[in-house]
Amino acid sequence: MGDVTAEVTDLLRHLIRNACVNDGARDSGHEVRSADVLASYLDGAGLDMERYEPAPGRTSLVARMEGRRPDAPTLLLMGHTDVVPVSPDRWRRDPFGAELVDGEVWGRGAIDMLNLTASMAVAVRRLAESGFRPDGTLIYLAVADEEALGTWGADHLTAHEPDAVRADYVITESGGIPVTGGDGALRLPVMVAEKGTCWMTLRVEGTPGHASQPYRTDNALVTAAEVVRRLSEHRPETRIHDTWRRFLAGMGLPDELTAPLLDPDRLIDSLADLPVSMARQFHACTHTTLAPTVARGGVKTNVIPDRVDLEVDVRTLPGQTFDDVRSLLDRALGDLADRVSIVEAHDDPSTASPVETPLWDTLGRVSRRFYDGSHLVPMLSVGATDARFFRRVGATAYGFGLFSRKLSFEDYGRMFHGDDERVDVESLRLSTELWTAVTQDLLAP
Ligand SMILES: [Zn+2]
């Protein structure tokens, strides 16, 4: 067998060049190209492979190594093959060129998450070729449509092909970026839960009229501007939840730093002193967030607008329901609440997996082989991943990976859906070896 680093680097570059850009439209993505590349890469290793294509071109690939004991646990390694669009003129290199420069692979998806999709495939193929026959079943899933709503990928598979993807344990993005704890030892965050997504369209109505006489008119755009201002200035209450408490406890920070972050009355003020990316993250972890993102309204320069639609991205905490979002909106809007109607809402509640599990123990044990003295810390992901579909059907799903020390937590966060996305080849090797070791630890006799 050749060199692992070269093999995973080469596969990642293929996936980047395929440019499976998902803009949310049904006819985007074209993940079939990467399903093809992965299927031919895995072919001949003795895995059972199956493709699923609920819409043309939206192909997911399942490769399976059947365990010897039906009562042993099943592990599913899941990587998505789609990527989000780019603004190419803001990049220093071709976002789909997959150039290898000074030990880094550049391109859309290098971090989110073709790096892991590639390293999982390499680990699975090498395990199969080595003759590894586990007690439990190993499934590799290269899934389409993660970057929209999972409609043609994980949502479809968990709902309509449950036998193909049923698993006790699922690992997907993101996590595993090494950060130094308060005591100097390394911490590796594991995404054990994620916030809910509630996307809504709010409508503000007014009364049309001639814009040459605006005095005392009922202008929907002017009302909408005030609605936007109130939404963005509203301060939802601080909620200290279990994952947050465990995260802070696990970071080994001094008490004077931790205490205000655990106090709902002091948390907001203490964020002011933190670097902005950390403050944003900590804020999102402990609050429902409201972000007005799209406004549509008005028909002509000389017409007083009678309708404005506002899209708002609301992210909910564990346990929150759509009714909670509704009353939050009412509080934020105050006396304007009855001027605003919800015309559309897509509510996808928060999900969580338990922390005390055999998978947790495996990840901790195995990670210490790569990072001596490291500890796992549970974390709430503020964005949504395909893990949510698997948690809802009963699997324990974590976001994890392993990265080199070259990548800082800040850079990592910035490159998600950002410009100049790239990953170092050492991180690719580390995550490949991680998947191999995790599989052996969890599934071997
Ligand atoms: Zn992703």
Side-chain angles (χ1 to χ4, degrees), residues 56 131 176 213 221 276 306 320 361 364 421:
Q213 303 169 67
L221 185 58
V276 67
D306 63 348
Q320 285 184 320
D361 297 339
E421 191 177 344

Side-chain angles (χ1 to χ4, degrees), residues 80 82 111-114 146-147 172-174 384-385 416-417:
H80 62 81
D82 59 329
I111 286 288
D112 180 13
M113 66 172 291
L114 305 180
E146 192 273 347
E147 296 290 1
T172 187
E173 65 185 341
S174 56
T385 73
F416 263 82
H417 300 193

Side-chain angles (χ1 to χ4, degrees), residues 91-106:
W91 281 59
R92 284 186 278 149
R93 298 194 175 268
D94 177 359
F96 301 106
E99 289 171 70
L100 178 59
V101 186
D102 297 333
E104 291 182 320
V105 180
W106 285 63

Side-chain angles (χ1 to χ4, degrees), residues 109-266:
I111 286 288
D112 180 13
M113 66 172 291
L114 305 180
N115 54 329
L116 303 184
T117 308
S119 62
M120 287 169 171
V122 172
V124 169
R125 173 174 148 165
R126 286 178 164 248
L127 279 166
E129 281 181 335
S130 73
F132 175 67
R133 287 297 168 264
D135 272 1
T137 295
L138 173 64
I139 304 171
Y140 169 71
L141 168 59
V143 73
D145 201 27
E146 192 273 347
E147 296 290 1
L149 294 168
T151 313
W152 313 113
D155 192 5
H156 171 82
L157 291 169
T158 49
H160 302 290
E161 306 288 352
D163 293 341
V165 295
R166 185 174 291 115
D168 302 285
Y169 302 112
V170 175
I171 312 178
T172 187
E173 65 185 341
S174 56
I177 282 282
V179 285
T180 306
D183 52 8
L186 273 193
R187 299 301 195 280
L188 302 167
V190 182
M191 300 300 170
V192 299
E194 65 190 47
K195 287 183 84 177
T197 302
C198 182
W199 287 347
M200 42 190 17
T201 304
L202 306 181
R203 180 162 293 168
V204 179
E205 314 245 29
T207 312
H210 202 292
S212 62
Q213 303 169 67
Y215 183 63
R216 287 169 63 177
T217 51
D218 175 23
N219 183 328
L221 185 58
V222 174
T223 311
E226 177 61 11
V227 166
V228 169
R229 195 191 63 77
R230 289 188 188 184
L231 292 179
S232 78
E233 290 191 355
H234 185 65
R235 296 286 164 261
E237 61 166 339
T238 303
R239 275 194 39 208
I240 307 299
H241 50 86
D242 195 43
T243 309
W244 178 246
R245 240 180 246 115
R246 284 169 179 259
F247 166 72
L248 281 181
M251 286 303 291
L253 299 167
D255 270 355
E256 63 268 26
L257 244 158
T258 307
L261 292 172
L262 286 170
D263 181 349
D265 297 326
R266 287 194 291 159

Side-chain angles (χ1 to χ4, degrees), residues 1-4 7 39-47 64-65 121-134 138 436 440:
M1 272 191 269
D3 170 48
V4 179
E7 194 167 321
S40 64
Y41 171 75
L42 293 171
D43 191 39
L47 297 155
R64 194 180 182 91
M65 187 191 291
V122 172
V124 169
R125 173 174 148 165
R126 286 178 164 248
L127 279 166
E129 281 181 335
S130 73
F132 175 67
R133 287 297 168 264
L138 173 64
T436 310
Q440 285 165 335

